[in-house]
mmCIF file of all heavy atoms in Angstrom:
data_model
loop_
_atom_site.group_PDB
_atom_site.id
_atom_site.type_symbol
_atom_site.label_atom_id
_atom_site.label_comp_id
_atom_site.label_asym_id
_atom_site.label_seq_id
_atom_site.Cartn_x
_atom_site.Cartn_y
_atom_site.Cartn_z
ATOM 1 N N VAL A 1 0.824 -1.215 0.000
ATOM 2 C CA VAL A 1 0.000 0.000 0.000
ATOM 3 C C VAL A 1 0.857 1.264 0.000
ATOM 4 O O VAL A 1 0.518 2.256 -0.667
ATOM 5 C CB VAL A 1 -0.990 -0.003 1.186
ATOM 6 C CG1 VAL A 1 -2.082 -1.040 0.971
ATOM 7 C CG2 VAL A 1 -0.284 -0.255 2.512
ATOM 8 N N ARG A 2 1.959 1.267 0.717
ATOM 9 C CA ARG A 2 2.787 2.476 0.773
ATOM 10 C C ARG A 2 3.451 2.745 -0.579
ATOM 11 O O ARG A 2 3.465 3.883 -1.048
ATOM 12 C CB ARG A 2 3.849 2.324 1.871
ATOM 13 C CG ARG A 2 4.819 3.504 1.987
ATOM 14 C CD ARG A 2 4.097 4.810 2.260
ATOM 15 N NE ARG A 2 3.332 4.748 3.499
ATOM 16 C CZ ARG A 2 2.391 5.615 3.829
ATOM 17 N NH1 ARG A 2 2.075 6.601 3.010
ATOM 18 N NH2 ARG A 2 1.744 5.512 4.975
ATOM 19 N N ALA A 3 3.967 1.710 -1.220
ATOM 20 C CA ALA A 3 4.582 1.901 -2.540
ATOM 21 C C ALA A 3 3.556 2.402 -3.546
ATOM 22 O O ALA A 3 3.857 3.259 -4.385
ATOM 23 C CB ALA A 3 5.203 0.591 -3.020
ATOM 24 N N LEU A 4 2.340 1.884 -3.478
ATOM 25 C CA LEU A 4 1.288 2.318 -4.394
ATOM 26 C C LEU A 4 0.936 3.779 -4.167
ATOM 27 O O LEU A 4 0.810 4.566 -5.119
ATOM 28 C CB LEU A 4 0.054 1.430 -4.238
ATOM 29 C CG LEU A 4 0.229 -0.026 -4.712
ATOM 30 C CD1 LEU A 4 -0.890 -0.900 -4.174
ATOM 31 C CD2 LEU A 4 0.268 -0.102 -6.234
ATOM 32 N N LEU A 5 0.780 4.176 -2.903
ATOM 33 C CA LEU A 5 0.472 5.577 -2.605
ATOM 34 C C LEU A 5 1.612 6.489 -3.040
ATOM 35 O O LEU A 5 1.381 7.552 -3.628
ATOM 36 C CB LEU A 5 0.200 5.753 -1.108
ATOM 37 C CG LEU A 5 -1.162 5.311 -0.586
ATOM 38 C CD1 LEU A 5 -1.230 5.513 0.927
ATOM 39 C CD2 LEU A 5 -2.295 6.079 -1.263
ATOM 40 N N ASP A 6 2.843 6.083 -2.743
ATOM 41 C CA ASP A 6 3.995 6.916 -3.108
ATOM 42 C C ASP A 6 4.102 7.096 -4.621
ATOM 43 O O ASP A 6 4.581 8.133 -5.097
ATOM 44 C CB ASP A 6 5.290 6.298 -2.569
ATOM 45 C CG ASP A 6 5.412 6.431 -1.051
ATOM 46 O OD1 ASP A 6 4.624 7.187 -0.452
ATOM 47 O OD2 ASP A 6 6.296 5.760 -0.477
ATOM 48 N N ALA A 7 3.638 6.096 -5.389
ATOM 49 C CA ALA A 7 3.693 6.182 -6.846
ATOM 50 C C ALA A 7 2.534 6.982 -7.429
ATOM 51 O O ALA A 7 2.516 7.258 -8.622
ATOM 52 C CB ALA A 7 3.707 4.777 -7.450
ATOM 53 N N GLY A 8 1.565 7.333 -6.582
ATOM 54 C CA GLY A 8 0.409 8.074 -7.067
ATOM 55 C C GLY A 8 -0.708 7.210 -7.600
ATOM 56 O O GLY A 8 -1.588 7.693 -8.325
ATOM 57 N N VAL A 9 -0.715 5.909 -7.257
ATOM 58 C CA VAL A 9 -1.780 5.006 -7.698
ATOM 59 C C VAL A 9 -3.044 5.294 -6.899
ATOM 60 O O VAL A 9 -2.992 5.392 -5.669
ATOM 61 C CB VAL A 9 -1.363 3.536 -7.498
ATOM 62 C CG1 VAL A 9 -2.513 2.596 -7.819
ATOM 63 C CG2 VAL A 9 -0.147 3.206 -8.354
ATOM 64 N N PRO A 10 -4.198 5.437 -7.545
ATOM 65 C CA PRO A 10 -5.454 5.545 -6.788
ATOM 66 C C PRO A 10 -5.655 4.277 -5.963
ATOM 67 O O PRO A 10 -5.728 3.179 -6.508
ATOM 68 C CB PRO A 10 -6.524 5.675 -7.880
ATOM 69 C CG PRO A 10 -5.783 6.168 -9.084
ATOM 70 C CD PRO A 10 -4.421 5.558 -8.997
ATOM 71 N N LEU A 11 -5.722 4.418 -4.650
ATOM 72 C CA LEU A 11 -5.792 3.266 -3.752
ATOM 73 C C LEU A 11 -7.117 3.258 -3.013
ATOM 74 O O LEU A 11 -7.518 4.254 -2.421
ATOM 75 C CB LEU A 11 -4.644 3.307 -2.737
ATOM 76 C CG LEU A 11 -4.626 2.162 -1.724
ATOM 77 C CD1 LEU A 11 -4.237 0.848 -2.387
ATOM 78 C CD2 LEU A 11 -3.667 2.465 -0.566
ATOM 79 N N ALA A 12 -7.775 2.120 -3.043
ATOM 80 C CA ALA A 12 -9.008 1.923 -2.292
ATOM 81 C C ALA A 12 -8.819 0.767 -1.324
ATOM 82 O O ALA A 12 -8.030 -0.148 -1.569
ATOM 83 C CB ALA A 12 -10.169 1.625 -3.236
ATOM 84 N N GLY A 13 -9.542 0.800 -0.231
ATOM 85 C CA GLY A 13 -9.551 -0.306 0.719
ATOM 86 C C GLY A 13 -10.932 -0.934 0.741
ATOM 87 O O GLY A 13 -11.933 -0.228 0.872
ATOM 88 N N GLY A 14 -11.002 -2.263 0.593
ATOM 89 C CA GLY A 14 -12.286 -2.947 0.550
ATOM 90 C C GLY A 14 -12.379 -4.072 1.544
ATOM 91 O O GLY A 14 -11.380 -4.556 2.080
ATOM 92 N N GLY A 15 -13.601 -4.529 1.778
ATOM 93 C CA GLY A 15 -13.859 -5.577 2.756
ATOM 94 C C GLY A 15 -13.877 -6.975 2.178
ATOM 95 O O GLY A 15 -13.710 -7.955 2.896
ATOM 96 N N ASP A 16 -14.143 -7.091 0.865
ATOM 97 C CA ASP A 16 -14.144 -8.381 0.180
ATOM 98 C C ASP A 16 -15.267 -9.260 0.713
ATOM 99 O O ASP A 16 -16.429 -8.898 0.651
ATOM 100 C CB ASP A 16 -12.775 -9.042 0.291
ATOM 101 C CG ASP A 16 -12.475 -10.019 -0.842
ATOM 102 O OD1 ASP A 16 -13.345 -10.222 -1.706
ATOM 103 O OD2 ASP A 16 -11.364 -10.575 -0.872
ATOM 104 N N ASN A 17 -14.944 -10.407 1.276
ATOM 105 C CA ASN A 17 -15.963 -11.407 1.598
ATOM 106 C C ASN A 17 -16.640 -11.131 2.927
ATOM 107 O O ASN A 17 -16.032 -10.628 3.873
ATOM 108 C CB ASN A 17 -15.326 -12.796 1.613
ATOM 109 C CG ASN A 17 -14.639 -13.108 0.304
ATOM 110 O OD1 ASN A 17 -13.470 -12.782 0.115
ATOM 111 N ND2 ASN A 17 -15.368 -13.693 -0.621
ATOM 112 N N ILE A 18 -17.919 -11.494 2.995
ATOM 113 C CA ILE A 18 -18.710 -11.292 4.206
ATOM 114 C C ILE A 18 -19.235 -12.642 4.672
ATOM 115 O O ILE A 18 -20.257 -13.145 4.215
ATOM 116 C CB ILE A 18 -19.888 -10.326 3.946
ATOM 117 C CG1 ILE A 18 -19.371 -8.972 3.432
ATOM 118 C CG2 ILE A 18 -20.712 -10.122 5.225
ATOM 119 C CD1 ILE A 18 -20.471 -8.034 2.966
ATOM 120 N N ARG A 19 -18.465 -13.292 5.527
ATOM 121 C CA ARG A 19 -18.862 -14.542 6.176
ATOM 122 C C ARG A 19 -19.301 -15.609 5.168
ATOM 123 O O ARG A 19 -20.412 -16.129 5.212
ATOM 124 C CB ARG A 19 -19.955 -14.263 7.214
ATOM 125 C CG ARG A 19 -19.534 -13.184 8.210
ATOM 126 C CD ARG A 19 -20.448 -13.033 9.393
ATOM 127 N NE ARG A 19 -21.780 -12.567 9.105
ATOM 128 C CZ ARG A 19 -22.111 -11.290 8.879
ATOM 129 N NH1 ARG A 19 -21.170 -10.350 8.875
ATOM 130 N NH2 ARG A 19 -23.359 -10.959 8.671
ATOM 131 N N ASP A 20 -18.363 -15.906 4.246
ATOM 132 C CA ASP A 20 -18.596 -16.944 3.252
ATOM 133 C C ASP A 20 -17.395 -17.889 3.259
ATOM 134 O O ASP A 20 -16.519 -17.750 4.123
ATOM 135 C CB ASP A 20 -18.863 -16.309 1.879
ATOM 136 C CG ASP A 20 -17.661 -15.557 1.290
ATOM 137 O OD1 ASP A 20 -16.505 -15.874 1.647
ATOM 138 O OD2 ASP A 20 -17.870 -14.647 0.472
ATOM 139 N N PRO A 21 -17.315 -18.868 2.350
ATOM 140 C CA PRO A 21 -16.210 -19.823 2.433
ATOM 141 C C PRO A 21 -14.819 -19.212 2.329
ATOM 142 O O PRO A 21 -13.834 -19.877 2.675
ATOM 143 C CB PRO A 21 -16.476 -20.764 1.242
ATOM 144 C CG PRO A 21 -17.953 -20.738 1.090
ATOM 145 C CD PRO A 21 -18.338 -19.312 1.376
ATOM 146 N N PHE A 22 -14.724 -17.972 1.852
ATOM 147 C CA PHE A 22 -13.421 -17.328 1.731
ATOM 148 C C PHE A 22 -13.016 -16.587 3.004
ATOM 149 O O PHE A 22 -11.877 -16.142 3.118
ATOM 150 C CB PHE A 22 -13.429 -16.361 0.543
ATOM 151 C CG PHE A 22 -13.566 -17.054 -0.783
ATOM 152 C CD1 PHE A 22 -14.796 -17.532 -1.212
ATOM 153 C CD2 PHE A 22 -12.465 -17.244 -1.592
ATOM 154 C CE1 PHE A 22 -14.931 -18.183 -2.431
ATOM 155 C CE2 PHE A 22 -12.589 -17.890 -2.816
ATOM 156 C CZ PHE A 22 -13.825 -18.370 -3.231
ATOM 157 N N ASN A 23 -13.927 -16.455 3.941
ATOM 158 C CA ASN A 23 -13.633 -15.702 5.161
ATOM 159 C C ASN A 23 -14.820 -15.811 6.108
ATOM 160 O O ASN A 23 -15.913 -15.346 5.778
ATOM 161 C CB ASN A 23 -13.388 -14.225 4.816
ATOM 162 C CG ASN A 23 -12.785 -13.442 5.963
ATOM 163 O OD1 ASN A 23 -12.769 -13.900 7.096
ATOM 164 N ND2 ASN A 23 -12.302 -12.261 5.672
ATOM 165 N N PRO A 24 -14.650 -16.408 7.296
ATOM 166 C CA PRO A 24 -15.791 -16.569 8.201
ATOM 167 C C PRO A 24 -16.143 -15.302 8.963
ATOM 168 O O PRO A 24 -17.167 -15.261 9.655
ATOM 169 C CB PRO A 24 -15.313 -17.656 9.171
ATOM 170 C CG PRO A 24 -13.833 -17.455 9.226
ATOM 171 C CD PRO A 24 -13.433 -17.029 7.832
ATOM 172 N N VAL A 25 -15.299 -14.261 8.850
ATOM 173 C CA VAL A 25 -15.565 -13.030 9.587
ATOM 174 C C VAL A 25 -15.873 -11.906 8.587
ATOM 175 O O VAL A 25 -16.045 -12.137 7.410
ATOM 176 C CB VAL A 25 -14.388 -12.656 10.510
ATOM 177 C CG1 VAL A 25 -14.195 -13.722 11.577
ATOM 178 C CG2 VAL A 25 -13.093 -12.490 9.715
ATOM 179 N N GLY A 26 -15.933 -10.701 9.087
ATOM 180 C CA GLY A 26 -16.268 -9.568 8.233
ATOM 181 C C GLY A 26 -17.576 -8.953 8.664
ATOM 182 O O GLY A 26 -18.619 -9.611 8.657
ATOM 183 N N ARG A 27 -17.541 -7.676 9.055
ATOM 184 C CA ARG A 27 -18.731 -6.996 9.588
ATOM 185 C C ARG A 27 -19.403 -6.107 8.551
ATOM 186 O O ARG A 27 -20.288 -5.345 8.898
ATOM 187 C CB ARG A 27 -18.345 -6.160 10.804
ATOM 188 C CG ARG A 27 -17.771 -6.954 11.964
ATOM 189 C CD ARG A 27 -17.774 -6.136 13.253
ATOM 190 N NE ARG A 27 -16.938 -4.961 13.154
ATOM 191 C CZ ARG A 27 -15.670 -4.897 13.539
ATOM 192 N NH1 ARG A 27 -15.094 -5.986 14.025
ATOM 193 N NH2 ARG A 27 -14.971 -3.790 13.433
ATOM 194 N N ALA A 28 -18.969 -6.189 7.298
ATOM 195 C CA ALA A 28 -19.528 -5.315 6.247
ATOM 196 C C ALA A 28 -19.384 -3.857 6.647
ATOM 197 O O ALA A 28 -20.272 -3.043 6.420
ATOM 198 C CB ALA A 28 -20.999 -5.657 5.978
ATOM 199 N N ASP A 29 -18.236 -3.539 7.243
ATOM 200 C CA ASP A 29 -18.008 -2.199 7.787
ATOM 201 C C ASP A 29 -16.720 -1.616 7.218
ATOM 202 O O ASP A 29 -15.622 -2.073 7.540
ATOM 203 C CB ASP A 29 -17.911 -2.277 9.313
ATOM 204 C CG ASP A 29 -17.808 -0.904 9.960
ATOM 205 O OD1 ASP A 29 -17.723 0.109 9.234
ATOM 206 O OD2 ASP A 29 -17.815 -0.841 11.206
ATOM 207 N N PRO A 30 -16.819 -0.596 6.363
ATOM 208 C CA PRO A 30 -15.608 0.012 5.816
ATOM 209 C C PRO A 30 -14.654 0.548 6.873
ATOM 210 O O PRO A 30 -13.439 0.610 6.639
ATOM 211 C CB PRO A 30 -16.152 1.136 4.930
ATOM 212 C CG PRO A 30 -17.513 0.661 4.526
ATOM 213 C CD PRO A 30 -18.039 -0.050 5.739
ATOM 214 N N LEU A 31 -15.171 0.945 8.038
ATOM 215 C CA LEU A 31 -14.271 1.432 9.076
ATOM 216 C C LEU A 31 -13.437 0.295 9.669
ATOM 217 O O LEU A 31 -12.332 0.536 10.171
ATOM 218 C CB LEU A 31 -15.058 2.151 10.168
ATOM 219 C CG LEU A 31 -15.765 3.440 9.735
ATOM 220 C CD1 LEU A 31 -16.416 4.117 10.929
ATOM 221 C CD2 LEU A 31 -14.805 4.400 9.036
ATOM 222 N N GLU A 32 -13.938 -0.944 9.605
ATOM 223 C CA GLU A 32 -13.116 -2.093 9.989
ATOM 224 C C GLU A 32 -11.947 -2.232 9.014
ATOM 225 O O GLU A 32 -10.803 -2.482 9.416
ATOM 226 C CB GLU A 32 -13.953 -3.365 9.988
ATOM 227 C CG GLU A 32 -13.158 -4.621 10.335
ATOM 228 C CD GLU A 32 -13.972 -5.896 10.199
ATOM 229 O OE1 GLU A 32 -14.845 -5.959 9.314
ATOM 230 O OE2 GLU A 32 -13.724 -6.834 10.971
ATOM 231 N N THR A 33 -12.230 -2.058 7.717
ATOM 232 C CA THR A 33 -11.165 -2.106 6.719
ATOM 233 C C THR A 33 -10.131 -1.016 6.974
ATOM 234 O O THR A 33 -8.919 -1.257 6.889
ATOM 235 C CB THR A 33 -11.761 -1.944 5.308
ATOM 236 O OG1 THR A 33 -12.700 -2.997 5.072
ATOM 237 C CG2 THR A 33 -10.671 -1.979 4.248
ATOM 238 N N ALA A 34 -10.602 0.191 7.292
ATOM 239 C CA ALA A 34 -9.669 1.282 7.586
ATOM 240 C C ALA A 34 -8.769 0.926 8.764
ATOM 241 O O ALA A 34 -7.561 1.189 8.747
ATOM 242 C CB ALA A 34 -10.447 2.566 7.877
ATOM 243 N N GLY A 35 -9.336 0.321 9.791
ATOM 244 C CA GLY A 35 -8.538 -0.073 10.948
ATOM 245 C C GLY A 35 -7.466 -1.083 10.589
ATOM 246 O O GLY A 35 -6.334 -1.015 11.097
ATOM 247 N N LEU A 36 -7.788 -2.029 9.711
ATOM 248 C CA LEU A 36 -6.795 -3.010 9.283
ATOM 249 C C LEU A 36 -5.690 -2.361 8.458
ATOM 250 O O LEU A 36 -4.522 -2.761 8.543
ATOM 251 C CB LEU A 36 -7.479 -4.108 8.469
ATOM 252 C CG LEU A 36 -8.275 -5.120 9.290
ATOM 253 C CD1 LEU A 36 -9.161 -5.964 8.378
ATOM 254 C CD2 LEU A 36 -7.339 -6.021 10.091
ATOM 255 N N LEU A 37 -6.041 -1.365 7.648
ATOM 256 C CA LEU A 37 -5.014 -0.680 6.875
ATOM 257 C C LEU A 37 -4.066 0.101 7.780
ATOM 258 O O LEU A 37 -2.886 0.271 7.463
ATOM 259 C CB LEU A 37 -5.668 0.257 5.855
ATOM 260 C CG LEU A 37 -6.363 -0.448 4.687
ATOM 261 C CD1 LEU A 37 -7.144 0.550 3.851
ATOM 262 C CD2 LEU A 37 -5.355 -1.188 3.819
ATOM 263 N N VAL A 38 -4.570 0.567 8.912
ATOM 264 C CA VAL A 38 -3.709 1.233 9.896
ATOM 265 C C VAL A 38 -2.810 0.203 10.586
ATOM 266 O O VAL A 38 -1.587 0.371 10.668
ATOM 267 C CB VAL A 38 -4.544 1.998 10.931
ATOM 268 C CG1 VAL A 38 -3.656 2.510 12.075
ATOM 269 C CG2 VAL A 38 -5.267 3.178 10.280
ATOM 270 N N ALA A 39 -3.411 -0.889 11.090
ATOM 271 C CA ALA A 39 -2.664 -1.854 11.898
ATOM 272 C C ALA A 39 -1.740 -2.718 11.049
ATOM 273 O O ALA A 39 -0.590 -2.975 11.425
ATOM 274 C CB ALA A 39 -3.645 -2.740 12.668
ATOM 275 N N ALA A 40 -2.226 -3.198 9.910
ATOM 276 C CA ALA A 40 -1.442 -4.131 9.100
ATOM 277 C C ALA A 40 -0.684 -3.443 7.975
ATOM 278 O O ALA A 40 0.396 -3.895 7.583
ATOM 279 C CB ALA A 40 -2.363 -5.205 8.506
ATOM 280 N N GLY A 41 -1.247 -2.346 7.454
ATOM 281 C CA GLY A 41 -0.611 -1.664 6.333
ATOM 282 C C GLY A 41 0.201 -0.452 6.719
ATOM 283 O O GLY A 41 0.869 0.136 5.883
ATOM 284 N N HIS A 42 0.120 -0.062 8.010
ATOM 285 C CA HIS A 42 0.860 1.077 8.534
ATOM 286 C C HIS A 42 0.524 2.381 7.812
ATOM 287 O O HIS A 42 1.375 3.256 7.664
ATOM 288 C CB HIS A 42 2.375 0.817 8.510
ATOM 289 C CG HIS A 42 2.803 -0.237 9.474
ATOM 290 N ND1 HIS A 42 4.078 -0.759 9.509
ATOM 291 C CD2 HIS A 42 2.123 -0.879 10.453
ATOM 292 C CE1 HIS A 42 4.164 -1.668 10.456
ATOM 293 N NE2 HIS A 42 2.981 -1.763 11.045
#
């Protein structure tokens, strides 16, 4: 994410799957995604 932002790439953060075979969790909450980008993506 940092390299993409530094290069000027339009960057979006998404939630992807909502409690399906690809992921049993997910609250359908964009602010949860934002929190992960802070904690995991710095």
